Amino acid sequence: MMEQVVIKTPLGSTKIVGDKNGITSITVLDEETTISTNIPDDLKEATQQLQAYFTGNLVQFNFKINPQGTDFQKRVWKELLNIPFGKTTSYLELSKTLGDVKAIRAVASANGKNPLWIVVPCHRVIGTDGSLTGYAGGLWRKKWLLEHESPSPQQKLF
């Protein structure tokens, strides 16, 4: 049975959904909502790690994930997990890594459908020219996340 919890983060209320098989989705909510006071056991690890990430005490997540999508989307999301904390890549580079430079639009589409906000770091993918490109959570959140992960926190990236 799927369970869910809503936590408060610096970027807004965040909903975590999952079960004993892993976390299936983490989404930021644009509207304020009631924060959960009771966290189901299957969601505790993800909740604790996300809170540690936002306080600057975690750079790599290791709780069990179980995203739902097509085989291609899962390949893209798996590759996103290889982008190191504090680093970025472009859609073009990601397409090359996946073995098909012509699949850039499909890669961008899969990136945009990533169900695991922050944990599968789609925010680390930028335009080839270094620009911030579309982000389902809003470009201001993408900018915040990249600055949060910057090795020079006192310096603004964008």
Side-chain angles (χ1 to χ4, degrees), residues 89-98 100-102 104 107 125-128:
T89 192
S90 69
Y91 291 102
L92 180 60
E93 285 303 313
L94 193 55
S95 298
K96 287 178 182 176
T97 301
L98 289 163
D100 187 359
V101 70
K102 294 178 184 172
I104 191 167
V107 167
V125 182
I126 60 175
T128 305

